[in-house]
Amino acid sequence: MSFAPLIIAPSILASDFARFGEEVRALDVAGADWIHLDVMDGHFVPNISFGPEVVRALRPLSARTFDVHLMIAPVDPYLEAFAKAGADHITVHAEAGPHLHRSLQAVRALGCRAGVALNPGTPASAVAHVLDLVDLVLVMTVNPGFGGQAFLAPMLDKVADVKAMIADRPIVIEVDGGVGPDNAGACAAAGASVFVAGSSVLRGGPDAYADNIAAIREAAALARGEMV
Ligand code: DX5
Ligand code: ZN
């Protein structure tokens, strides 16, 4: 069986907000495959993070894929701003608006790869009718809003459900929330190939980032029976 490449996507939500630029550079050097940018509006989720101007400011600092996760509602009025700011991927929540297809079509029309995210309370079936419009499905493994929460193990079944649903379509599954070396293997075994990690990568400061990223990659690879 062949697998999608393992992708580690550190979230700068766990970084030092006074040093975003240095943090992105450090994560890039440490081996991050993608940089995950969590956008929160204080409405769709009970926290506020940052908007498109921060994405724009960080864009020149790394050539890595910018994986923008929008936890905002409404989302449509802001898609263009994030695309113009340099997002490579834009992920919108299935719960964020009444017209999911329109949002995803708009993301692709802007030249970005499109993702759809599922809150823990939303079943896998919510994405069944948009699979031709997405490049990734993000399964939240915590309730969105904050970093540092405990991984919700029952979400592994949802990952497996999504994996079965996407069949041979070129769609990757991303897990986000409480992900680290202790559960990355189970996520990989269930079908995830993209691992968003805030606290477990950024703990210990920049000198630890490379080892922290490698530990997640090794745990996932081991579960797939691959050598690292
Ligand atoms: C949660 C965000 C996550 C979060 C992950 O709302 O979408 O990306 O930053 O952080 P950890 O890995 O600390 O759970
Ligand atoms: Zn996220």
Side-chain angles (χ1 to χ4, degrees), residues 11 36-38 69 71 138 140 176 196:
S11 167
H36 186 79
L37 300 116
D38 285 307
H69 178 192
M71 289 162 275
L138 186 162
M140 288 299 316
D176 185 2
V196 176

PDB file of all heavy atoms in Angstrom, residues 11 36-38 69 71 138 140 176 196, ligand 2:
ATOM      1  N   SER A  11       1.788  24.780  14.219  1.00  0.00           N
ATOM      2  CA  SER A  11       0.880  25.926  14.319  1.00  0.00           C
ATOM      3  C   SER A  11       1.549  27.051  15.073  1.00  0.00           C
ATOM      4  O   SER A  11       1.971  26.868  16.226  1.00  0.00           O
ATOM      5  CB  SER A  11      -0.398  25.533  15.060  1.00  0.00           C
ATOM      6  OG  SER A  11      -1.117  26.714  15.404  1.00  0.00           O
ATOM      7  N   HIS A  36       1.237  26.170   9.723  1.00  0.00           N
ATOM      8  CA  HIS A  36      -0.213  26.215   9.941  1.00  0.00           C
ATOM      9  C   HIS A  36      -0.548  27.523  10.654  1.00  0.00           C
ATOM     10  O   HIS A  36       0.020  27.842  11.696  1.00  0.00           O
ATOM     11  CB  HIS A  36      -0.606  25.013  10.796  1.00  0.00           C
ATOM     12  CG  HIS A  36      -2.078  24.831  10.987  1.00  0.00           C
ATOM     13  ND1 HIS A  36      -2.899  24.270  10.031  1.00  0.00           N
ATOM     14  CD2 HIS A  36      -2.880  25.124  12.042  1.00  0.00           C
ATOM     15  CE1 HIS A  36      -4.146  24.206  10.495  1.00  0.00           C
ATOM     16  NE2 HIS A  36      -4.169  24.743  11.709  1.00  0.00           N
ATOM     17  N   LEU A  37      -1.482  28.269  10.055  1.00  0.00           N
ATOM     18  CA  LEU A  37      -1.837  29.582  10.605  1.00  0.00           C
ATOM     19  C   LEU A  37      -3.309  29.555  11.024  1.00  0.00           C
ATOM     20  O   LEU A  37      -4.207  29.432  10.177  1.00  0.00           O
ATOM     21  CB  LEU A  37      -1.572  30.661   9.557  1.00  0.00           C
ATOM     22  CG  LEU A  37      -0.086  30.729   9.118  1.00  0.00           C
ATOM     23  CD1 LEU A  37       0.081  30.391   7.654  1.00  0.00           C
ATOM     24  CD2 LEU A  37       0.506  32.091   9.415  1.00  0.00           C
ATOM     25  N   ASP A  38      -3.554  29.674  12.315  1.00  0.00           N
ATOM     26  CA  ASP A  38      -4.896  29.566  12.888  1.00  0.00           C
ATOM     27  C   ASP A  38      -5.525  30.937  13.046  1.00  0.00           C
ATOM     28  O   ASP A  38      -5.081  31.748  13.861  1.00  0.00           O
ATOM     29  CB  ASP A  38      -4.812  28.897  14.266  1.00  0.00           C
ATOM     30  CG  ASP A  38      -4.567  27.401  14.159  1.00  0.00           C
ATOM     31  OD1 ASP A  38      -5.337  26.729  13.452  1.00  0.00           O
ATOM     32  OD2 ASP A  38      -3.610  26.921  14.787  1.00  0.00           O
ATOM     33  N   HIS A  69      -5.957  28.109   8.340  1.00  0.00           N
ATOM     34  CA  HIS A  69      -7.144  27.466   8.928  1.00  0.00           C
ATOM     35  C   HIS A  69      -8.047  28.570   9.461  1.00  0.00           C
ATOM     36  O   HIS A  69      -7.744  29.208  10.469  1.00  0.00           O
ATOM     37  CB  HIS A  69      -6.661  26.532  10.053  1.00  0.00           C
ATOM     38  CG  HIS A  69      -7.759  25.841  10.797  1.00  0.00           C
ATOM     39  ND1 HIS A  69      -7.527  25.164  11.984  1.00  0.00           N
ATOM     40  CD2 HIS A  69      -9.086  25.705  10.540  1.00  0.00           C
ATOM     41  CE1 HIS A  69      -8.662  24.637  12.415  1.00  0.00           C
ATOM     42  NE2 HIS A  69      -9.623  24.963  11.575  1.00  0.00           N
ATOM     43  N   MET A  71     -11.072  29.867  11.288  1.00  0.00           N
ATOM     44  CA  MET A  71     -12.128  29.577  12.272  1.00  0.00           C
ATOM     45  C   MET A  71     -12.917  30.859  12.454  1.00  0.00           C
ATOM     46  O   MET A  71     -12.884  31.505  13.507  1.00  0.00           O
ATOM     47  CB  MET A  71     -11.484  29.098  13.581  1.00  0.00           C
ATOM     48  CG  MET A  71     -10.891  27.697  13.459  1.00  0.00           C
ATOM     49  SD  MET A  71      -9.699  27.308  14.752  1.00  0.00           S
ATOM     50  CE  MET A  71      -8.241  28.026  14.006  1.00  0.00           C
ATOM     51  N   LEU A 138      -9.744  18.480   7.154  1.00  0.00           N
ATOM     52  CA  LEU A 138      -9.130  18.686   8.468  1.00  0.00           C
ATOM     53  C   LEU A 138     -10.095  18.155   9.534  1.00  0.00           C
ATOM     54  O   LEU A 138     -11.218  18.646   9.650  1.00  0.00           O
ATOM     55  CB  LEU A 138      -8.840  20.179   8.685  1.00  0.00           C
ATOM     56  CG  LEU A 138      -8.081  20.595   9.943  1.00  0.00           C
ATOM     57  CD1 LEU A 138      -7.498  21.997   9.766  1.00  0.00           C
ATOM     58  CD2 LEU A 138      -8.942  20.568  11.181  1.00  0.00           C
ATOM     59  N   MET A 140     -10.790  18.053  13.268  1.00  0.00           N
ATOM     60  CA  MET A 140     -10.409  18.657  14.551  1.00  0.00           C
ATOM     61  C   MET A 140     -10.387  17.563  15.617  1.00  0.00           C
ATOM     62  O   MET A 140     -11.371  16.833  15.781  1.00  0.00           O
ATOM     63  CB  MET A 140     -11.414  19.733  14.983  1.00  0.00           C
ATOM     64  CG  MET A 140     -11.394  21.029  14.202  1.00  0.00           C
ATOM     65  SD  MET A 140      -9.860  22.011  14.191  1.00  0.00           S
ATOM     66  CE  MET A 140      -9.317  21.991  15.890  1.00  0.00           C
ATOM     67  N   ASP A 176      -5.761  17.966  13.754  1.00  0.00           N
ATOM     68  CA  ASP A 176      -5.408  19.260  14.354  1.00  0.00           C
ATOM     69  C   ASP A 176      -5.968  19.344  15.766  1.00  0.00           C
ATOM     70  O   ASP A 176      -7.190  19.358  15.954  1.00  0.00           O
ATOM     71  CB  ASP A 176      -5.998  20.385  13.481  1.00  0.00           C
ATOM     72  CG  ASP A 176      -5.591  21.772  13.945  1.00  0.00           C
ATOM     73  OD1 ASP A 176      -4.824  21.894  14.915  1.00  0.00           O
ATOM     74  OD2 ASP A 176      -6.066  22.747  13.327  1.00  0.00           O
ATOM     75  N   VAL A 196      -0.983  18.634  12.286  1.00  0.00           N
ATOM     76  CA  VAL A 196      -0.838  19.986  12.820  1.00  0.00           C
ATOM     77  C   VAL A 196      -0.444  19.841  14.283  1.00  0.00           C
ATOM     78  O   VAL A 196      -1.034  19.031  15.011  1.00  0.00           O
ATOM     79  CB  VAL A 196      -2.163  20.771  12.725  1.00  0.00           C
ATOM     80  CG1 VAL A 196      -2.023  22.145  13.389  1.00  0.00           C
ATOM     81  CG2 VAL A 196      -2.584  20.921  11.272  1.00  0.00           C
TER      82      VAL A 196
HETATM   83 ZN    ZN B   2      -5.668  24.772  13.213  1.00  0.00          ZN
END
